[in-house]
Amino acid sequence: MTEILGHKRTILSLIWPALLVLGLVINNAPLVQAISLSEELPHRKVIVLDPGHGGHDLGAVGPSGLAEKDVTLSVARKIKEILFGAYEVHLTRNDDYNIDIEDRTAAANHYHADIFVSIHAGGGFRHQARGVVIFHHSHSTAAGSKPPQQQRDSRETYEKPVPWDYIQGVYTVKNQVLAKLVHRHLIAKLSTVDRGVRKAPCLVLRGADMPAILVEIGHLSHPSDEKELKKANVISAVAEAICKGIEDYFTKHP
Ligand SMILES: [Zn+2]
């Protein structure tokens, strides 16, 4: 009996550590798997898209009634659909409501966006204006203008942080790269007027702490642009072109 008990103890003493190890393996399996999966997943770039206008703010309205707020939302949704999975994409508005300009910029900063793209299809100052133009922010359109503290003595430049209004100055080169790449693809894809890449004071981009551009995909106030932007295949082409520009940008600035 004692021998049997002793034998049982011997067997149990052999089995328990094995069961313990097996238990640990089983229990830790999801943990081990989760760690290895999270290590494998690369950091997805964060993109914040800003469909211009919304709600009571129609934006520009075309001769036959197409509102800018609807065109910008369609393009932003399409871009999100194309980039879904490969990138983390957020929209400043997901439906037909208006939000303040400051809140649009704040959303980009809140999500720590790698890039911020504001989408418009506005009316030109000149009634006959049409075509594609990409803006990036400049505090002043005058060439060579600098933030006031950079014009003071150099010690102040290092001791004081860049004022929020001038934060876009840090990203000027990247803004230009992003603007040119998006512009290149839009012009290649659309049969429209090329109005180039320009610097301008853009309120929505001003406080954005990342590379940021404002894309005017057309001018709804012009009948030809309105006619084009009514077509679903043109909206898709615009979205695809912007996506290609974004992808090219992240190839250059991984
Ligand atoms: Zn607009």
Side-chain angles (χ1 to χ4, degrees), residues 52-53 57-60 68 72 119-123 214 216:
H53 312 281
D57 175 11
L58 307 178
E68 185 182 356
T72 58
I119 302 159
H120 287 257
L214 188 151
E216 291 274 10

Side-chain angles (χ1 to χ4, degrees), residues 41-52:
L41 284 174
H43 165 70
R44 288 190 305 168
K45 296 288 185 188
V46 181
I47 299 163
V48 172
L49 304 169
D50 172 43

